[in-house]
Amino acid sequence: MSASDLSSVPAAELPVETTGSVVLLDVREDDEWQHGHAPGALHIPMNEVPSRLGEIDQDAELYVVCKVGGRSMQVVQYLARIGYEATNVDGGMDAWHAAGRPVVRDDGAEARIL
């Protein structure tokens, strides 16, 4: 399955609020997440996705994001192979932030995308 067979969406077209049936899966590393992430996103670093599949709602509208879109596309490809429907976020968190989308930190400090 090639990347062109998988769906992707520009960050600016995503729903801002991810609740209920919409899940934004952030697959960046812990340090990237801690500096800033989308409100309500589910954080599972890329290398932990296979062992943490139980945390991902298979029936949700699933969007996968990383910093610029490379790692998230690999995760979308993996999820598609095992039966999940997932959409890559083009441009990743860089594009999310550039589109004026909210970015938060768990500790309340000023958020930024690394």
Side-chain angles (χ1 to χ4, degrees), residues 1 6-7 11 14 22-23 38 43 49 56 66-67 75 77 94 109:
M1 178 174 296
L6 301 168
S7 72
L14 282 176
V22 178
V23 173
H43 179 230
V49 168
I56 303 170
C66 63
K67 180 170 169 48
V75 171
Q77 289 172 323
D94 281 353

Side-chain angles (χ1 to χ4, degrees), residues 61-80:
E61 188 176 337
L62 181 61
Y63 297 96
V64 184
V65 67
C66 63
K67 180 170 169 48
V68 295
R71 288 173 286 179
S72 55
M73 180 54 77
Q74 291 177 37
V75 171
V76 167
Q77 289 172 323
Y78 167 74
L79 290 171

Side-chain angles (χ1 to χ4, degrees), residues 15-91:
V16 173
E17 303 245 340
T18 54
T19 56
S21 64
V22 178
V23 173
L24 179 63
L25 174 61
D26 189 324
V27 297
R28 296 175 301 149
E29 295 301 314
D30 288 335
D31 62 326
E32 294 173 286
W33 169 266
Q34 289 165 2
H35 280 92
H37 53 84
L42 171 63
H43 179 230
I44 303 177
M46 178 180 173
N47 63 349
E48 295 178 21
V49 168
S51 65
R52 295 176 61 185
L53 285 172
E55 297 175 44
I56 303 170
D57 182 353
Q58 195 163 1
D59 297 323
E61 188 176 337
L62 181 61
Y63 297 96
V64 184
V65 67
C66 63
K67 180 170 169 48
V68 295
R71 288 173 286 179
S72 55
M73 180 54 77
Q74 291 177 37
V75 171
V76 167
Q77 289 172 323
Y78 167 74
L79 290 171
R81 282 196 305 272
I82 62 170
Y84 284 73
E85 284 187 33
T87 301
N88 187 48
V89 178
D90 278 341

Side-chain angles (χ1 to χ4, degrees), residues 94-113:
D94 281 353
W96 174 277
H97 185 65
R101 297 304 183 98
V103 178
V104 298
R105 279 176 64 130
D106 293 337
D107 63 7
E110 184 178 345
R112 55 197 171 102
I113 303 303

